[in-house]
PDB file of all heavy atoms in Angstrom:
ATOM      1  N   THR T 150      25.718  15.123  74.544  1.00  0.00           N
ATOM      2  CA  THR T 150      24.533  14.834  73.757  1.00  0.00           C
ATOM      3  C   THR T 150      24.581  15.625  72.483  1.00  0.00           C
ATOM      4  O   THR T 150      24.904  16.813  72.464  1.00  0.00           O
ATOM      5  CB  THR T 150      23.260  15.218  74.541  1.00  0.00           C
ATOM      6  OG1 THR T 150      23.250  14.494  75.769  1.00  0.00           O
ATOM      7  CG2 THR T 150      22.004  14.889  73.748  1.00  0.00           C
ATOM      8  N   ARG T 151      24.282  14.993  71.393  1.00  0.00           N
ATOM      9  CA  ARG T 151      24.288  15.677  70.107  1.00  0.00           C
ATOM     10  C   ARG T 151      23.174  16.716  70.074  1.00  0.00           C
ATOM     11  O   ARG T 151      22.044  16.439  70.440  1.00  0.00           O
ATOM     12  CB  ARG T 151      24.115  14.689  68.969  1.00  0.00           C
ATOM     13  CG  ARG T 151      25.209  13.627  68.914  1.00  0.00           C
ATOM     14  CD  ARG T 151      24.855  12.551  67.924  1.00  0.00           C
ATOM     15  NE  ARG T 151      25.810  11.442  68.020  1.00  0.00           N
ATOM     16  CZ  ARG T 151      25.636  10.283  67.397  1.00  0.00           C
ATOM     17  NH1 ARG T 151      24.555  10.075  66.678  1.00  0.00           N
ATOM     18  NH2 ARG T 151      26.527   9.325  67.518  1.00  0.00           N
ATOM     19  N   SER T 152      23.519  17.878  69.590  1.00  0.00           N
ATOM     20  CA  SER T 152      22.522  18.954  69.527  1.00  0.00           C
ATOM     21  C   SER T 152      22.108  19.204  68.090  1.00  0.00           C
ATOM     22  O   SER T 152      22.810  18.856  67.135  1.00  0.00           O
ATOM     23  CB  SER T 152      23.129  20.249  70.123  1.00  0.00           C
ATOM     24  OG  SER T 152      24.267  20.645  69.385  1.00  0.00           O
ATOM     25  N   ARG T 153      20.949  19.824  67.933  1.00  0.00           N
ATOM     26  CA  ARG T 153      20.441  20.181  66.605  1.00  0.00           C
ATOM     27  C   ARG T 153      20.145  21.664  66.600  1.00  0.00           C
ATOM     28  O   ARG T 153      19.663  22.224  67.580  1.00  0.00           O
ATOM     29  CB  ARG T 153      19.186  19.373  66.256  1.00  0.00           C
ATOM     30  CG  ARG T 153      19.392  17.879  66.257  1.00  0.00           C
ATOM     31  CD  ARG T 153      18.142  17.155  65.803  1.00  0.00           C
ATOM     32  NE  ARG T 153      17.852  17.374  64.405  1.00  0.00           N
ATOM     33  CZ  ARG T 153      18.353  16.624  63.425  1.00  0.00           C
ATOM     34  NH1 ARG T 153      19.178  15.653  63.702  1.00  0.00           N
ATOM     35  NH2 ARG T 153      18.025  16.886  62.184  1.00  0.00           N
ATOM     36  N   THR T 154      20.408  22.304  65.496  1.00  0.00           N
ATOM     37  CA  THR T 154      20.144  23.742  65.361  1.00  0.00           C
ATOM     38  C   THR T 154      19.107  23.972  64.290  1.00  0.00           C
ATOM     39  O   THR T 154      19.053  23.248  63.291  1.00  0.00           O
ATOM     40  CB  THR T 154      21.437  24.493  65.004  1.00  0.00           C
ATOM     41  OG1 THR T 154      21.968  23.943  63.795  1.00  0.00           O
ATOM     42  CG2 THR T 154      22.476  24.361  66.127  1.00  0.00           C
ATOM     43  N   ARG T 155      18.259  24.980  64.479  1.00  0.00           N
ATOM     44  CA  ARG T 155      17.223  25.292  63.490  1.00  0.00           C
ATOM     45  C   ARG T 155      17.727  26.401  62.585  1.00  0.00           C
ATOM     46  O   ARG T 155      18.204  27.423  63.053  1.00  0.00           O
ATOM     47  CB  ARG T 155      15.931  25.713  64.179  1.00  0.00           C
ATOM     48  CG  ARG T 155      14.822  26.107  63.212  1.00  0.00           C
ATOM     49  CD  ARG T 155      13.506  26.292  63.931  1.00  0.00           C
ATOM     50  NE  ARG T 155      12.996  25.052  64.458  1.00  0.00           N
ATOM     51  CZ  ARG T 155      12.322  24.148  63.713  1.00  0.00           C
ATOM     52  NH1 ARG T 155      12.122  24.377  62.423  1.00  0.00           N
ATOM     53  NH2 ARG T 155      11.887  23.050  64.252  1.00  0.00           N
ATOM     54  N   THR T 156      17.606  26.175  61.317  1.00  0.00           N
ATOM     55  CA  THR T 156      17.987  27.176  60.322  1.00  0.00           C
ATOM     56  C   THR T 156      16.781  27.482  59.465  1.00  0.00           C
ATOM     57  O   THR T 156      15.691  26.924  59.646  1.00  0.00           O
ATOM     58  CB  THR T 156      19.139  26.661  59.434  1.00  0.00           C
ATOM     59  OG1 THR T 156      18.632  25.589  58.621  1.00  0.00           O
ATOM     60  CG2 THR T 156      20.291  26.163  60.281  1.00  0.00           C
ATOM     61  N   GLY T 157      16.975  28.351  58.478  1.00  0.00           N
ATOM     62  CA  GLY T 157      15.867  28.683  57.589  1.00  0.00           C
ATOM     63  C   GLY T 157      15.431  27.488  56.784  1.00  0.00           C
ATOM     64  O   GLY T 157      14.318  27.466  56.244  1.00  0.00           O
ATOM     65  N   ASP T 158      16.296  26.504  56.638  1.00  0.00           N
ATOM     66  CA  ASP T 158      15.941  25.306  55.875  1.00  0.00           C
ATOM     67  C   ASP T 158      15.384  24.198  56.759  1.00  0.00           C
ATOM     68  O   ASP T 158      15.227  23.070  56.321  1.00  0.00           O
ATOM     69  CB  ASP T 158      17.165  24.786  55.130  1.00  0.00           C
ATOM     70  CG  ASP T 158      17.684  25.802  54.128  1.00  0.00           C
ATOM     71  OD1 ASP T 158      16.845  26.510  53.550  1.00  0.00           O
ATOM     72  OD2 ASP T 158      18.925  25.887  53.963  1.00  0.00           O
ATOM     73  N   GLY T 159      15.120  24.503  58.042  1.00  0.00           N
ATOM     74  CA  GLY T 159      14.610  23.493  58.941  1.00  0.00           C
ATOM     75  C   GLY T 159      15.694  22.992  59.863  1.00  0.00           C
ATOM     76  O   GLY T 159      16.777  23.563  59.950  1.00  0.00           O
ATOM     77  N   ASP T 160      15.416  21.891  60.575  1.00  0.00           N
ATOM     78  CA  ASP T 160      16.378  21.323  61.500  1.00  0.00           C
ATOM     79  C   ASP T 160      17.546  20.692  60.753  1.00  0.00           C
ATOM     80  O   ASP T 160      17.345  19.916  59.821  1.00  0.00           O
ATOM     81  CB  ASP T 160      15.721  20.255  62.385  1.00  0.00           C
ATOM     82  CG  ASP T 160      14.823  20.880  63.441  1.00  0.00           C
ATOM     83  OD1 ASP T 160      14.989  22.082  63.708  1.00  0.00           O
ATOM     84  OD2 ASP T 160      13.975  20.154  63.961  1.00  0.00           O
ATOM     85  N   GLN T 161      18.754  21.046  61.172  1.00  0.00           N
ATOM     86  CA  GLN T 161      19.949  20.435  60.594  1.00  0.00           C
ATOM     87  C   GLN T 161      20.889  20.048  61.713  1.00  0.00           C
ATOM     88  O   GLN T 161      20.998  20.767  62.694  1.00  0.00           O
ATOM     89  CB  GLN T 161      20.659  21.412  59.652  1.00  0.00           C
ATOM     90  CG  GLN T 161      19.852  21.729  58.384  1.00  0.00           C
ATOM     91  CD  GLN T 161      20.637  22.638  57.455  1.00  0.00           C
ATOM     92  OE1 GLN T 161      21.608  23.259  57.872  1.00  0.00           O
ATOM     93  NE2 GLN T 161      20.224  22.710  56.203  1.00  0.00           N
ATOM     94  N   ALA T 162      21.564  18.936  61.565  1.00  0.00           N
ATOM     95  CA  ALA T 162      22.548  18.531  62.566  1.00  0.00           C
ATOM     96  C   ALA T 162      23.724  19.480  62.499  1.00  0.00           C
ATOM     97  O   ALA T 162      24.128  19.923  61.427  1.00  0.00           O
ATOM     98  CB  ALA T 162      23.013  17.086  62.308  1.00  0.00           C
ATOM     99  N   ASP T 163      24.275  19.823  63.679  1.00  0.00           N
ATOM    100  CA  ASP T 163      25.455  20.682  63.687  1.00  0.00           C
ATOM    101  C   ASP T 163      26.677  19.884  63.241  1.00  0.00           C
ATOM    102  O   ASP T 163      26.609  18.677  62.994  1.00  0.00           O
ATOM    103  CB  ASP T 163      25.686  21.328  65.057  1.00  0.00           C
ATOM    104  CG  ASP T 163      25.898  20.321  66.165  1.00  0.00           C
ATOM    105  OD1 ASP T 163      26.234  19.148  65.839  1.00  0.00           O
ATOM    106  OD2 ASP T 163      25.733  20.699  67.325  1.00  0.00           O
ATOM    107  N   GLU T 164      27.797  20.571  63.085  1.00  0.00           N
ATOM    108  CA  GLU T 164      28.986  19.931  62.524  1.00  0.00           C
ATOM    109  C   GLU T 164      29.440  18.760  63.357  1.00  0.00           C
ATOM    110  O   GLU T 164      29.814  17.721  62.821  1.00  0.00           O
ATOM    111  CB  GLU T 164      30.107  20.969  62.423  1.00  0.00           C
ATOM    112  CG  GLU T 164      31.366  20.435  61.794  1.00  0.00           C
ATOM    113  CD  GLU T 164      32.431  21.511  61.649  1.00  0.00           C
ATOM    114  OE1 GLU T 164      32.109  22.684  61.891  1.00  0.00           O
ATOM    115  OE2 GLU T 164      33.564  21.159  61.294  1.00  0.00           O
ATOM    116  N   GLU T 165      29.354  18.893  64.700  1.00  0.00           N
ATOM    117  CA  GLU T 165      29.809  17.804  65.556  1.00  0.00           C
ATOM    118  C   GLU T 165      28.958  16.568  65.374  1.00  0.00           C
ATOM    119  O   GLU T 165      29.443  15.452  65.304  1.00  0.00           O
ATOM    120  CB  GLU T 165      29.768  18.247  67.026  1.00  0.00           C
ATOM    121  CG  GLU T 165      30.180  17.154  67.985  1.00  0.00           C
ATOM    122  CD  GLU T 165      30.058  17.614  69.434  1.00  0.00           C
ATOM    123  OE1 GLU T 165      29.707  18.779  69.667  1.00  0.00           O
ATOM    124  OE2 GLU T 165      30.324  16.789  70.326  1.00  0.00           O
ATOM    125  N   GLU T 166      27.630  16.766  65.307  1.00  0.00           N
ATOM    126  CA  GLU T 166      26.729  15.621  65.161  1.00  0.00           C
ATOM    127  C   GLU T 166      26.936  14.948  63.813  1.00  0.00           C
ATOM    128  O   GLU T 166      26.967  13.722  63.714  1.00  0.00           O
ATOM    129  CB  GLU T 166      25.285  16.079  65.285  1.00  0.00           C
ATOM    130  CG  GLU T 166      24.290  14.928  65.100  1.00  0.00           C
ATOM    131  CD  GLU T 166      22.856  15.371  65.232  1.00  0.00           C
ATOM    132  OE1 GLU T 166      22.627  16.580  65.355  1.00  0.00           O
ATOM    133  OE2 GLU T 166      21.970  14.510  65.214  1.00  0.00           O
ATOM    134  N   ALA T 167      27.101  15.743  62.741  1.00  0.00           N
ATOM    135  CA  ALA T 167      27.285  15.166  61.427  1.00  0.00           C
ATOM    136  C   ALA T 167      28.558  14.342  61.377  1.00  0.00           C
ATOM    137  O   ALA T 167      28.588  13.241  60.815  1.00  0.00           O
ATOM    138  CB  ALA T 167      27.340  16.280  60.385  1.00  0.00           C
ATOM    139  N   SER T 168      29.616  14.854  61.997  1.00  0.00           N
ATOM    140  CA  SER T 168      30.878  14.137  62.007  1.00  0.00           C
ATOM    141  C   SER T 168      30.753  12.829  62.779  1.00  0.00           C
ATOM    142  O   SER T 168      31.234  11.791  62.334  1.00  0.00           O
ATOM    143  CB  SER T 168      31.971  15.019  62.628  1.00  0.00           C
ATOM    144  OG  SER T 168      33.170  14.290  62.758  1.00  0.00           O
ATOM    145  N   GLN T 169      30.078  12.881  63.940  1.00  0.00           N
ATOM    146  CA  GLN T 169      29.933  11.679  64.757  1.00  0.00           C
ATOM    147  C   GLN T 169      29.049  10.651  64.076  1.00  0.00           C
ATOM    148  O   GLN T 169      29.290   9.456  64.123  1.00  0.00           O
ATOM    149  CB  GLN T 169      29.351  12.049  66.116  1.00  0.00           C
ATOM    150  CG  GLN T 169      29.270  10.885  67.089  1.00  0.00           C
ATOM    151  CD  GLN T 169      30.649  10.334  67.391  1.00  0.00           C
ATOM    152  OE1 GLN T 169      31.528  11.073  67.823  1.00  0.00           O
ATOM    153  NE2 GLN T 169      30.841   9.046  67.155  1.00  0.00           N
ATOM    154  N   THR T 170      27.971  11.144  63.417  1.00  0.00           N
ATOM    155  CA  THR T 170      27.075  10.228  62.725  1.00  0.00           C
ATOM    156  C   THR T 170      27.816   9.480  61.633  1.00  0.00           C
ATOM    157  O   THR T 170      27.644   8.275  61.451  1.00  0.00           O
ATOM    158  CB  THR T 170      25.888  11.012  62.119  1.00  0.00           C
ATOM    159  OG1 THR T 170      25.186  11.664  63.165  1.00  0.00           O
ATOM    160  CG2 THR T 170      24.940  10.080  61.387  1.00  0.00           C
ATOM    161  N   ALA T 171      28.649  10.195  60.871  1.00  0.00           N
ATOM    162  CA  ALA T 171      29.426   9.546  59.824  1.00  0.00           C
ATOM    163  C   ALA T 171      30.373   8.521  60.409  1.00  0.00           C
ATOM    164  O   ALA T 171      30.554   7.418  59.867  1.00  0.00           O
ATOM    165  CB  ALA T 171      30.219  10.597  59.034  1.00  0.00           C
ATOM    166  N   SER T 172      30.997   8.865  61.534  1.00  0.00           N
ATOM    167  CA  SER T 172      31.915   7.936  62.196  1.00  0.00           C
ATOM    168  C   SER T 172      31.184   6.686  62.654  1.00  0.00           C
ATOM    169  O   SER T 172      31.660   5.564  62.474  1.00  0.00           O
ATOM    170  CB  SER T 172      32.583   8.636  63.396  1.00  0.00           C
ATOM    171  OG  SER T 172      33.387   7.745  64.101  1.00  0.00           O
ATOM    172  N   ASP T 173      29.985   6.873  63.262  1.00  0.00           N
ATOM    173  CA  ASP T 173      29.203   5.724  63.721  1.00  0.00           C
ATOM    174  C   ASP T 173      28.807   4.841  62.548  1.00  0.00           C
ATOM    175  O   ASP T 173      28.821   3.601  62.645  1.00  0.00           O
ATOM    176  CB  ASP T 173      27.953   6.210  64.449  1.00  0.00           C
ATOM    177  CG  ASP T 173      28.272   6.818  65.801  1.00  0.00           C
ATOM    178  OD1 ASP T 173      29.427   6.645  66.249  1.00  0.00           O
ATOM    179  OD2 ASP T 173      27.393   7.458  66.390  1.00  0.00           O
ATOM    180  N   PHE T 174      28.450   5.467  61.426  1.00  0.00           N
ATOM    181  CA  PHE T 174      28.025   4.710  60.250  1.00  0.00           C
ATOM    182  C   PHE T 174      29.161   3.835  59.730  1.00  0.00           C
ATOM    183  O   PHE T 174      28.990   2.653  59.458  1.00  0.00           O
ATOM    184  CB  PHE T 174      27.541   5.659  59.162  1.00  0.00           C
ATOM    185  CG  PHE T 174      27.185   4.972  57.862  1.00  0.00           C
ATOM    186  CD1 PHE T 174      25.970   4.298  57.722  1.00  0.00           C
ATOM    187  CD2 PHE T 174      28.057   4.971  56.787  1.00  0.00           C
ATOM    188  CE1 PHE T 174      25.653   3.648  56.546  1.00  0.00           C
ATOM    189  CE2 PHE T 174      27.760   4.327  55.617  1.00  0.00           C
ATOM    190  CZ  PHE T 174      26.547   3.672  55.486  1.00  0.00           C
ATOM    191  N   LEU T 175      30.347   4.447  59.597  1.00  0.00           N
ATOM    192  CA  LEU T 175      31.483   3.691  59.091  1.00  0.00           C
ATOM    193  C   LEU T 175      31.859   2.563  60.037  1.00  0.00           C
ATOM    194  O   LEU T 175      32.205   1.460  59.611  1.00  0.00           O
ATOM    195  CB  LEU T 175      32.672   4.631  58.899  1.00  0.00           C
ATOM    196  CG  LEU T 175      32.531   5.624  57.727  1.00  0.00           C
ATOM    197  CD1 LEU T 175      33.703   6.607  57.739  1.00  0.00           C
ATOM    198  CD2 LEU T 175      32.460   4.900  56.400  1.00  0.00           C
ATOM    199  N   GLU T 176      31.808   2.818  61.361  1.00  0.00           N
ATOM    200  CA  GLU T 176      32.172   1.800  62.339  1.00  0.00           C
ATOM    201  C   GLU T 176      31.202   0.626  62.261  1.00  0.00           C
ATOM    202  O   GLU T 176      31.566  -0.535  62.381  1.00  0.00           O
ATOM    203  CB  GLU T 176      32.183   2.401  63.739  1.00  0.00           C
ATOM    204  CG  GLU T 176      32.691   1.458  64.818  1.00  0.00           C
ATOM    205  CD  GLU T 176      34.173   1.181  64.667  1.00  0.00           C
ATOM    206  OE1 GLU T 176      34.872   1.971  64.014  1.00  0.00           O
ATOM    207  OE2 GLU T 176      34.633   0.162  65.209  1.00  0.00           O
ATOM    208  N   THR T 177      29.911   0.937  62.045  1.00  0.00           N
ATOM    209  CA  THR T 177      28.894  -0.112  61.939  1.00  0.00           C
ATOM    210  C   THR T 177      29.142  -0.980  60.710  1.00  0.00           C
ATOM    211  O   THR T 177      28.992  -2.195  60.744  1.00  0.00           O
ATOM    212  CB  THR T 177      27.499   0.521  61.874  1.00  0.00           C
ATOM    213  OG1 THR T 177      27.261   1.276  63.053  1.00  0.00           O
ATOM    214  CG2 THR T 177      26.430  -0.567  61.758  1.00  0.00           C
ATOM    215  N   LYS T 178      29.521  -0.313  59.617  1.00  0.00           N
ATOM    216  CA  LYS T 178      29.712  -1.052  58.370  1.00  0.00           C
ATOM    217  C   LYS T 178      30.948  -1.923  58.386  1.00  0.00           C
ATOM    218  O   LYS T 178      30.931  -3.057  57.913  1.00  0.00           O
ATOM    219  CB  LYS T 178      29.807  -0.054  57.208  1.00  0.00           C
ATOM    220  CG  LYS T 178      28.495   0.637  56.877  1.00  0.00           C
ATOM    221  CD  LYS T 178      27.452  -0.371  56.402  1.00  0.00           C
ATOM    222  CE  LYS T 178      26.158   0.314  55.989  1.00  0.00           C
ATOM    223  NZ  LYS T 178      25.134  -0.658  55.590  1.00  0.00           N
ATOM    224  N   ARG T 179      32.056  -1.396  58.929  1.00  0.00           N
ATOM    225  CA  ARG T 179      33.292  -2.140  58.834  1.00  0.00           C
ATOM    226  C   ARG T 179      33.607  -2.949  60.063  1.00  0.00           C
ATOM    227  O   ARG T 179      34.442  -3.841  60.045  1.00  0.00           O
ATOM    228  CB  ARG T 179      34.452  -1.177  58.561  1.00  0.00           C
ATOM    229  CG  ARG T 179      34.803  -0.270  59.718  1.00  0.00           C
ATOM    230  CD  ARG T 179      35.821   0.739  59.322  1.00  0.00           C
ATOM    231  NE  ARG T 179      36.109   1.649  60.425  1.00  0.00           N
ATOM    232  CZ  ARG T 179      36.411   2.921  60.258  1.00  0.00           C
ATOM    233  NH1 ARG T 179      36.453   3.450  59.062  1.00  0.00           N
ATOM    234  NH2 ARG T 179      36.690   3.687  61.298  1.00  0.00           N
ATOM    235  N   GLY T 180      32.911  -2.656  61.201  1.00  0.00           N
ATOM    236  CA  GLY T 180      33.167  -3.377  62.433  1.00  0.00           C
ATOM    237  C   GLY T 180      34.446  -2.924  63.083  1.00  0.00           C
ATOM    238  O   GLY T 180      35.154  -2.048  62.568  1.00  0.00           O
ATOM    239  N   PRO T 181      34.809  -3.518  64.225  1.00  0.00           N
ATOM    240  CA  PRO T 181      36.040  -3.150  64.929  1.00  0.00           C
ATOM    241  C   PRO T 181      37.269  -3.419  64.086  1.00  0.00           C
ATOM    242  O   PRO T 181      37.304  -4.343  63.274  1.00  0.00           O
ATOM    243  CB  PRO T 181      36.018  -4.056  66.180  1.00  0.00           C
ATOM    244  CG  PRO T 181      34.599  -4.483  66.324  1.00  0.00           C
ATOM    245  CD  PRO T 181      34.041  -4.535  64.942  1.00  0.00           C
ATOM    246  N   SER T 182      38.283  -2.607  64.251  1.00  0.00           N
ATOM    247  CA  SER T 182      39.517  -2.774  63.509  1.00  0.00           C
ATOM    248  C   SER T 182      40.167  -4.102  63.856  1.00  0.00           C
ATOM    249  O   SER T 182      40.301  -4.448  65.029  1.00  0.00           O
ATOM    250  CB  SER T 182      40.486  -1.628  63.844  1.00  0.00           C
ATOM    251  OG  SER T 182      41.769  -1.922  63.337  1.00  0.00           O
TER     252      SER T 182
END
């Protein structure tokens, strides 16, 4: 499960979540290879 960490700037996605989110976005846009 993707986790979120709280920083002084508020809630931010951790590195793993950000990477996965970008991957999901690209896969949605381009579809299966």
Side-chain angles (χ1 to χ4, degrees):
T150 302
R151 300 171 189 170
S152 61
R153 300 184 69 87
T154 57
R155 177 171 293 279
T156 68
D158 297 326
D160 286 342
Q161 293 183 344
D163 60 19
E164 183 177 352
E165 178 183 358
E166 179 180 6
S168 175
Q169 185 62 55
T170 300
S172 176
D173 289 348
F174 175 78
L175 290 174
E176 186 69 20
T177 300
K178 290 296 183 183
R179 69 187 178 214
S182 169

